[in-house]
């Protein structure tokens, strides 16, 4: 090899090495996490968590580094929280909230009024309307009161509408109290903590359609009548070859809610995959995560982007729907999946 070629080769190698060193150095000096990038975009990035996992360092380090918002996955639901009349087990919720406070994370409270995961003592007998009003009032004021310094937003009412957008009749509170249970819950929560943001949260209503039309009409009516409500939560349990509303519709839906003066939170995003997992499915999943985040970033009203967990090692999906799998952004051994990198890239490029 003549000297000129040797020199050229050496210069190229040195050049490439320098570029690599700069890239690597940047990574070391400026490590990127979802949380850091989301902070720059003024959006909260969240995950649902279980208290018993916080003692696992693999879990808690990722949680604190990558997320700015925590939602207890079950700990604040009526059944787990209050297994006997008047007996509240606050330990798990307290631990999650203490973790959030010590890592400067926000907390979403989920959920005060829902027909699922109610305690047996409540569902196993008949009550008069007045008794139920009293029970619900006590529950809301007890829980919101206890956490008024630490929960910044509550899912006050969860999944109260049927798929056709009308109020769900097959609902414990609807049957026992009637449709005004919804506005009473918002009024009581607000009276207890006037600073908390109060949300209506529901599923299968992210895009345009009968159900999201029903939610829109309901929240518009609540606002018109002066009921304190500040936002709508879009659960977003979507998937590859499953429920997947088009981005343009989600955008239109967020836009019309924002025109009412409401915030929108993505509250429970996960993207389930058919089994067995393939590389293609993982790539499609990444595209969906990135696409949903883009939609949220494009709308100033979309102020939080929350996932229903963060690792496939702990997701409700395979337990409840065994034909689906791997819906989250870290795999079962806490390795970031293509979906994680899609979120990073979206935050960097938008
Ligand atoms: C799920 C939890 O993830 C499970 O652990 C539990 O067994 C059932 O509830 N919509 C909601 C969430 O609003 O509260 C649900 O969470 C998922 C669907």
């Amino acid at each position: 090899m003549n000297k000129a070629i040797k020199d050229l080769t050496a210069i190229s190698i040195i050049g490439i090495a320098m570029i690599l060193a700069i890239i690597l150095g940047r990574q070391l000096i400026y490590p990127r996490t979802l949380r850091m990038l989301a902070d720059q975009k003024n959006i909260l990035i969240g995950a649902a968590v279980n208290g018993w996992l916080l003692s696992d360092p693999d879990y808690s380090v990722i949680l604190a580094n990558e997320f700015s918002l925590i939602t207890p996955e079950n700990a604040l639901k009526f059944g787990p929280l209050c297994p006997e009349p008047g007996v509240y087990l606050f330990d798990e919720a307290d631990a999650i909230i203490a973790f959030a406070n010590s890592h400067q994370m926000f907390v979403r409270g989920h959920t005060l009024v829902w027909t699922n995961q109610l305690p047996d003592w409540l569902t196993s007998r008949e009550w008069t309307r007045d008794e139920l009003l009293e029970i619900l009032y006590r529950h809301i004021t007890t829980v919101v009161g206890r956490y008024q310094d630490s929960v910044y937003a509550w899912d006050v009412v969860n999944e109260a509408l049927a798929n056709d957008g009308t109020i769900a009749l097959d609902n414990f509170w609807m049957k026992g109290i009637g449709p005004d249970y919804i506005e009473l819950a918002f009024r009581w929560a607000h009276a207890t903590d006037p600073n908390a943001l109060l949300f209506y949260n529901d599923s299968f209503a992210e895009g345009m359609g009968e159900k999201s039309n029903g939610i829109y009409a309901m929240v518009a009516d609540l606002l018109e009548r002066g009921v304190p409500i500040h936002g709508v939560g879009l659960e977003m349990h979507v998937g590859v070859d499953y429920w997947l509303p088009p981005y343009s519709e989600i955008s239109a839906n967020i836009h019309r809610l924002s025109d009412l003066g409401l915030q929108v939170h993505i509250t429970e995003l996960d993207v389930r995959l058919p089994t067995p997992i393939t590389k293609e499915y993982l790539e499609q999943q990444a595209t969906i995560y990135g696409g949903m985040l883009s939609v949220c970033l494009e709308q100033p009203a979309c102020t939080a982007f929350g996932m229903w967990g963060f690792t496939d090692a702990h997701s409700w999906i395979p337990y409840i729907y065994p034909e689906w799998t791997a819906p989250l952004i870290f795999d079962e051994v806490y390795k970031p999946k293509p979906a994680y990198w899609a979120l990073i890239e979206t935050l960097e490029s938008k």
Side-chain angles (χ1 to χ4, degrees):
M1 213 191 302
N2 75 33
K3 187 167 178 306
I5 295 177
K6 269 190 192 161
D7 286 353
L8 212 63
T9 317
I11 288 167
S12 317
I13 291 171
I14 291 168
I16 291 168
M18 276 169 67
I19 291 168
L20 282 177
I22 290 168
I23 294 172
L24 210 69
R26 235 181 87 87
Q27 289 295 306
L28 292 176
I29 299 165
Y30 304 113
R32 303 165 302 172
T33 67
L34 294 175
R35 179 177 184 165
M36 286 172 171
L37 296 171
D39 278 354
Q40 290 166 14
K41 302 277 174 205
N42 255 324
I43 187 173
L44 294 172
I45 187 132
V49 308
N50 285 287
W52 55 278
L53 290 165
L54 295 176
S55 54
D56 171 355
D58 290 334
Y59 184 90
S60 58
V61 167
I62 294 179
L63 183 61
N65 283 341
E66 299 286 349
F67 299 96
S68 48
L69 173 68
I70 281 184
T71 307
E73 183 169 343
N74 290 299
L76 286 171
K77 293 172 181 170
F78 205 151
L81 198 55
C82 182
E84 302 294 334
V87 177
Y88 277 85
L89 306 180
F90 287 119
D91 284 4
E92 189 190 347
D94 283 356
I96 293 171
I97 287 168
F99 182 92
N101 287 341
S102 67
H103 294 93
Q104 293 81 48
M105 304 162 93
F106 286 79
V107 178
R108 288 192 93 259
H110 176 84
T111 174
L112 297 168
V113 190
W114 191 23
T115 197
N116 288 359
Q117 290 180 278
L118 290 171
D120 286 344
W121 63 263
L122 185 58
T123 53
S124 60
R125 52 157 282 195
E126 299 287 313
W127 304 89
T128 66
R129 180 170 191 274
D130 281 349
E131 284 171 332
L132 282 179
L133 286 171
E134 175 72 16
I135 288 169
L136 190 58
Y137 175 79
R138 275 181 189 279
H139 178 67
I140 290 175
T141 50
T142 302
V143 180
V144 175
R146 180 178 179 92
Y147 295 118
Q148 58 182 324
D149 295 327
S150 33
V151 168
Y152 102 108
W154 280 101
D155 287 332
V156 177
V157 177
N158 200 40
E159 301 181 349
L161 297 197
N163 283 339
D164 67 359
T166 60
I167 190 159
L169 302 175
D170 187 17
N171 175 297
F172 178 81
W173 301 107
M174 175 65 189
K175 284 184 199 154
I177 295 178
D180 49 344
Y181 82 89
I182 295 177
E183 69 171 273
L184 288 171
F186 279 95
R187 290 190 196 281
W188 292 334
H190 184 67
T192 311
D193 181 0
N195 294 321
L197 295 175
L198 306 182
F199 278 70
Y200 175 77
N201 188 53
D202 214 331
S203 56
F204 300 113
E206 295 83 10
M208 302 297 265
E210 277 188 323
K211 190 166 186 186
S212 65
N213 291 347
I215 293 173
Y216 177 79
M218 177 182 74
V219 296
D221 171 63
L222 291 173
L223 285 167
E224 212 171 283
R225 290 186 298 107
V227 177
I229 175 168
H230 311 106
V232 170
L234 307 179
E235 290 188 13
M236 220 174 252
H237 294 291
V238 298
V240 170
D241 298 338
Y242 179 67
W243 174 254
L244 191 62
Y247 302 132
S248 58
E249 282 194 21
I250 301 171
S251 215
N253 192 30
I254 296 178
H255 204 268
R256 66 174 167 174
L257 292 166
S258 135
D259 282 346
L260 292 176
L262 294 170
Q263 294 191 34
V264 172
H265 285 178
I266 309 303
T267 52
E268 305 184 15
L269 173 60
D270 51 22
V271 182
R272 65 190 72 183
L273 301 180
T275 49
I277 311 175
T278 63
K279 200 168 165 276
E280 261 176 25
Y281 286 155
L282 290 170
E283 278 158 15
Q284 283 173 269
Q285 181 179 54
T287 307
I288 296 169
Y289 268 102
M292 294 302 182
L293 180 55
S294 292
V295 170
C296 181
L297 289 174
E298 280 158 12
Q299 303 264 351
C302 188
T303 48
F305 186 81
M307 288 158 266
W308 210 234
F310 64 88
T311 160
D312 290 338
H314 304 289
S315 160
W316 72 305
I317 293 291
Y319 291 101
I320 301 199
Y321 310 102
E323 65 279 27
W324 299 98
T325 190
L328 294 166
I329 60 171
F330 288 81
D331 71 10
E332 297 203 353
V333 293
Y334 296 94
K335 193 168 153 279
K337 292 163 63 181
Y340 171 86
W341 297 112
L343 294 184
I344 289 276
E345 277 159 28
T346 305
L347 285 164
E348 283 189 323
S349 65
K350 278 276 159 185

